[in-house]
Amino acid sequence: MPSVFKKLYPFLKPYKLKIFWAFISLVFTSVATLSLGQGLRILVDLGFSNNEEPTIKSNIPFDISTFSNLEKLGLAIAILGLIGLLIALGTFARHYLVSWLGERISSDLRVEVYKHIIHMEPSYFEETSTGEIQSRILTDTTLLQTVVGSSFSIFLRNILIFILGIVWLFITNAKLTSIVLVSVPLVVFPILLFGRKVRKLSRDTQEKLAGIGSQVNESLLHIRTVQAFHQESYEKNKFNRFVEIAFHVSAYRILFRSFMIVIVISLVLAGISFMIWAGGIDVIEGRISPGDLIAFSFYAIMVASSLGSISEVIGDMQRAAGATERLIELLQLEPKIKDPELSVSDKNNFSSNTTYNIKFDKVTFHYPSRPEKSTLDHLSLEIPAGKVTALVGPSGAGKSTIFDLIYRFHDPKTGSISIDGIDTKNVTLENLRSILGLVPQEPNLFSGTVKENILYGNLEASQDELISAAEASYSLSFINDLPLGFDSALGENGVRLSGGQKQRLAIARAILKNPKILLLDEATSSLDSESEMYIQQALTELTKNRTTLMIAHRLSTVMNADLILVIENGKLVGNGTHEELLKSNELYQKLARLQLFK
Ligand code: ATP
């Protein structure tokens, strides 16, 4: 637990003052609550007494000998009322401050985790399911919020009540107190024993819940495939299994907690009964006043119930400790793809007023999940500045991987990639990516509006620039046909558009970014021949004065490229123009035969 606090400290630090006041109001209400016992004692010994002179003095700091019995009752009630008022005020401050802290700290943590996660390299998200990350950001932080915003305050308050209560009990009556204290270890021991088990089970529950999250995500994302293959029952069963597993882990945890509560309550009640019995004898024999016994019982019950509350919230706190550990784990992840040292990136900078060439020098790369197979194998190639270069080759040859490496979504295992002679590892990711524009194979659209999706290329673009990008990508006419034009919402991943339309929006986005290096990954693959022709014209405009690298399966699209690079099994097996390759390259001849002269 202390280590969790240490890790949480940076999140608590900005709110030191609020935490201080929360603590003060917590101490204040606890002390005020405990003084209720004194109020009760005065009430019983003074207010309910019909003797002029009570047998046992009631420690009132001023002379009340002239008071009538009724006045004494009034005074006792007034004291109780005052204590009640102080408790109410203190509780207001404590509840407000502590709940505020809970909300604030969990929100900060949520933002911090998201801010960190969004910089992780794409391969991290291949290994960790997004459902799991979602669950950590939502469920784990909510758990933490409950703990900071309530359980922890309950815990502290009760610890305080427990300690102060015991001290007061001892001062008043050591004999009775020893009866109370004998029950303490009997209660604490099972708490510790069961608590450990509950903590482990809580962690398991959170993990199982995260599993449910990824299952929902995945099946809903691919809902069309699920329904098209009529696999709803399969998905339902799979989901059911996940839910049941999570339920059983939770049920087991609940059972443990219930056991813990039963044991605590039984032991506490047994202790209290015995104490009242022993105290009752003292009252009967005149050693203590009835008020003393009432106050004593009040404190004993407070002490006992504080133990009960501690045992209740300790489970929450342990779950939160697990949740915090997992969140901190996320925060401590180091992205594998990072900016270089400042001293290095200061010297290297891509400006936006020139065209760039790209060079791969003996690049070898394999995906982390397939360490045994090199996707790129000592690949060396040069992409000239300001020209259109096409990458062709069979499916799976490694063409898209080349794009990923230019973007530094992955780093090569050996070899280097340089742009204009600068190793891409020696510039900041922001600078590198600012000169690159990508139209991916699968156009990724967000669920916002058409406008928001195109503006993703350049958030500062003007309305005129937006419209001309839409025009240049031949999107304007279909956008105008949408119900709200540029303001039409696209649905998740652009489900409300056709494949070709999505692709045109992706092109508009890239046009708006106006990058120095344009990477087109099958940018026209989902277009019909007519739109493709238009897009080709648009691309001809777009590729002027910039380095363009395009992947295309249809050779008709690459025939006019200035340079064609033929890739096979992660190696460069030929380069030249269409005519040159037709004469000299066997693989290219094969591809051409299959496509052009059918
Ligand atoms: P296509 O023309 O079909 O798009 P490509 O030439 O672009 O193919 P790549 O996508 O670069 O091929 O893939 C090259 C190889 O790397 C393939 O064998 C593919 O299975 C593998 N691969 C691609 N992405 C990953 C990944 N994230 N993890 C593991 N292997 C991958």
Side-chain angles (χ1 to χ4, degrees):
M1 200 77 80
S3 70
V4 171
F5 264 113
K6 214 162 97 195
K7 287 174 187 159
L8 261 188
Y9 180 69
F11 292 93
L12 305 175
K13 209 172 141 211
Y15 309 112
K16 271 195 291 205
L17 198 67
K18 274 219 161 64
I19 294 175
F20 171 77
W21 284 116
F23 184 72
I24 293 290
S25 49
L26 187 137
V27 174
F28 179 78
T29 36
S30 308
V31 172
T33 310
L34 280 176
S35 61
L36 261 185
Q38 294 301 319
L40 281 177
R41 187 173 65 90
I42 294 169
L43 183 68
V44 171
D45 283 347
L46 271 187
F48 296 161
S49 163
N50 49 14
N51 295 338
E52 278 307 315
E53 209 43 55
T55 36
I56 291 166
K57 284 261 177 253
S58 271
N59 302 338
I60 297 277
F62 47 87
D63 182 20
I64 52 166
S65 51
T66 54
F67 282 31
S68 72
N69 280 344
L70 272 184
E71 278 168 341
K72 284 179 193 162
L73 176 65
L75 176 66
I77 294 289
I79 292 174
L80 265 187
L82 183 69
I83 296 174
L85 186 70
L86 291 179
I87 293 178
L89 286 177
T91 306
F92 167 81
R94 189 204 68 222
H95 184 259
Y96 174 77
L97 288 170
V98 166
S99 312
W100 187 95
L101 282 167
E103 295 285 350
R104 188 66 265 167
I105 289 164
S106 63
S107 305
D108 287 359
L109 201 60
R110 217 169 260 163
V111 169
E112 214 44 49
V113 171
Y114 183 77
K115 254 167 53 187
H116 189 77
I117 282 293
I118 203 150
H119 290 289
M120 292 302 291
E121 68 283 352
S123 56
Y124 171 76
F125 298 97
E126 287 172 15
E127 286 154 27
T128 320
S129 84
T130 40
E132 187 182 329
I133 297 172
Q134 260 176 27
S135 142
R136 287 195 191 183
I137 293 185
L138 295 176
T139 332
D140 285 355
T141 47
T142 309
L143 195 62
L144 195 70
Q145 178 218 314
T146 326
V147 167
V148 178
S150 102
S151 312
F152 187 62
S153 128
I154 298 178
F155 178 76
L156 266 191
R157 193 166 72 226
N158 285 293
I159 290 269
L160 219 73
I161 290 183
F162 179 78
I163 296 172
L164 293 179
I166 292 270
V167 169
W168 193 89
L169 286 175
F170 246 116
I171 293 171
T172 331
N173 194 322
K175 184 184 96 185
L176 290 184
T177 309
S178 44
I179 297 174
V180 176
L181 285 191
V182 168
S183 9
V184 170
L186 283 178
V187 178
V188 170
F189 183 67
I191 295 181
L192 293 180
L193 199 73
F194 280 91
R196 188 167 308 159
K197 181 78 183 163
V198 168
R199 179 175 178 170
K200 193 191 157 296
L201 289 174
S202 305
R203 201 179 163 105
D204 289 355
T205 313
Q206 291 299 310
E207 269 160 24
K208 297 289 178 276
L209 282 178
I212 296 183
S214 11
Q215 163 67 14
V216 173
N217 242 8
E218 170 123 344
S219 55
L220 296 188
L221 192 67
H222 300 301
I223 190 74
R224 282 157 196 270
T225 315
V226 172
Q227 292 183 355
F229 283 89
H230 196 49
Q231 291 296 10
E232 289 93 335
S233 343
Y234 172 73
E235 291 297 334
K236 277 191 277 192
N237 288 339
K238 206 156 95 183
F239 185 71
N240 208 12
R241 270 202 308 280
F242 272 106
V243 173
E244 284 307 310
I245 293 174
F247 168 77
H248 283 295
V249 177
S250 297
Y252 198 47
R253 192 192 74 233
I254 295 168
L255 186 70
F256 261 87
R257 276 195 75 173
S258 311
F259 263 129
M260 188 158 108
I261 294 169
V262 166
I263 292 176
V264 170
I265 291 181
S266 319
L267 291 175
V268 163
L269 281 183
I272 288 180
S273 312
F274 185 64
M275 182 204 74
I276 293 188
W277 175 74
I281 295 178
D282 281 355
V283 175
I284 293 170
E285 293 176 357
R287 281 189 290 274
I288 55 175
S289 75
D292 279 339
L293 182 61
I294 291 287
F296 195 90
S297 310
F298 171 83
Y299 287 110
I301 290 172
M302 290 294 282
V303 166
S305 64
S306 68
L307 271 189
S309 304
I310 292 169
S311 74
E312 276 271 328
V313 294
I314 214 154
D316 278 351
M317 307 237 312
Q318 278 160 337
R319 285 172 63 197
T324 312
E325 269 165 22
R326 277 194 305 273
L327 285 168
I328 302 285
E329 245 168 52
L330 281 186
L331 282 176
Q332 284 173 341
L333 284 173
E334 276 283 324
K336 290 199 190 93
I337 311 274
K338 289 191 276 209
D339 282 341
E341 301 279 311
L342 263 181
S343 57
V344 177
S345 64
D346 270 356
K347 278 187 241 139
N348 299 303
N349 200 1
F350 295 129
S351 61
S352 55
N353 47 17
T354 167
T355 50
Y356 294 103
N357 65 10
I358 308 174
K359 200 169 156 199
F360 274 55
D361 189 16
K362 299 197 203 76
V363 170
T364 299
F365 170 75
H366 55 72
Y367 282 96
S369 55
R370 295 197 193 154
E372 76 296 339
K373 183 181 173 292
S374 287
T375 307
L376 301 183
D377 189 5
H378 293 88
L379 177 74
S380 295
L381 50 84
E382 264 193 78
I383 294 147
K387 298 269 168 49
V388 175
T389 305
L391 289 176
V392 297
S395 177
K399 301 177 301 284
S400 303
T401 306
I402 292 178
F403 277 20
D404 281 3
L405 292 191
I406 294 176
Y407 257 93
R408 278 196 80 201
F409 288 144
H410 309 280
D411 276 340
K413 191 170 155 229
T414 58
S416 66
I417 299 160
S418 50
I419 295 181
D420 227 28
I422 302 177
D423 192 323
T424 52
K425 281 186 187 168
N426 290 339
V427 291
T428 61
L429 290 170
E430 188 185 351
N431 184 217
L432 169 69
R433 290 170 185 172
S434 72
I435 59 162
L436 302 174
L438 173 71
V439 180
Q441 210 165 13
E442 293 284 326
N444 296 124
L445 298 180
F446 295 98
S447 54
T449 61
V450 172
K451 185 174 167 182
E452 283 163 357
N453 268 289
I454 302 181
L455 283 182
Y456 212 73
N458 175 9
L459 295 177
E460 263 109 56
S462 68
Q463 183 72 11
D464 285 349
E465 285 169 321
L466 174 76
I467 292 175
S468 43
E471 209 164 21
S473 60
Y474 289 85
S475 317
L476 198 57
S477 60
F478 86 79
I479 294 175
N480 285 335
D481 281 345
L482 292 172
L484 296 173
F486 277 95
D487 292 320
S488 314
L490 294 182
E492 205 169 343
N493 207 9
V495 283
R496 288 181 208 142
L497 294 180
S498 75
Q501 290 169 336
K502 282 193 236 177
Q503 212 153 34
R504 277 182 271 175
L505 283 194
I507 293 174
R509 185 190 276 171
I511 293 176
L512 202 62
K513 184 169 182 191
N514 194 15
K516 283 286 125 187
I517 297 176
L518 184 64
L519 304 175
L520 304 169
D521 194 348
E522 310 238 18
T524 55
S525 64
S526 320
L527 300 180
D528 59 87
S529 309
E530 195 188 347
S531 325
E532 188 183 352
M533 188 186 74
Y534 287 133
I535 292 281
Q536 285 304 340
Q537 286 171 2
L539 289 181
T540 317
E541 264 316 295
L542 186 64
T543 52
K544 269 189 195 146
N545 287 329
R546 65 183 103 226
T547 310
T548 307
L549 186 58
M550 60 159 80
I551 299 176
H553 277 144
R554 280 190 261 182
L555 291 193
S556 56
T557 7
V558 299
M559 271 161 54
N560 299 328
D562 300 302
L563 174 69
I564 301 171
L565 304 174
V566 189
I567 310 286
E568 189 181 25
N569 287 330
K571 292 195 182 80
L572 180 68
V573 293
N575 65 57
T577 60
H578 175 67
E579 277 73 28
E580 286 166 359
L581 287 169
L582 265 187
K583 281 189 211 133
S584 65
N585 190 282
E586 221 177 291
L587 179 60
Y588 193 78
Q589 286 164 356
K590 197 171 115 198
L591 294 171
R593 251 199 324 275
L594 287 174
Q595 290 193 23
L596 295 178
F597 315 114
K598 272 190 275 193

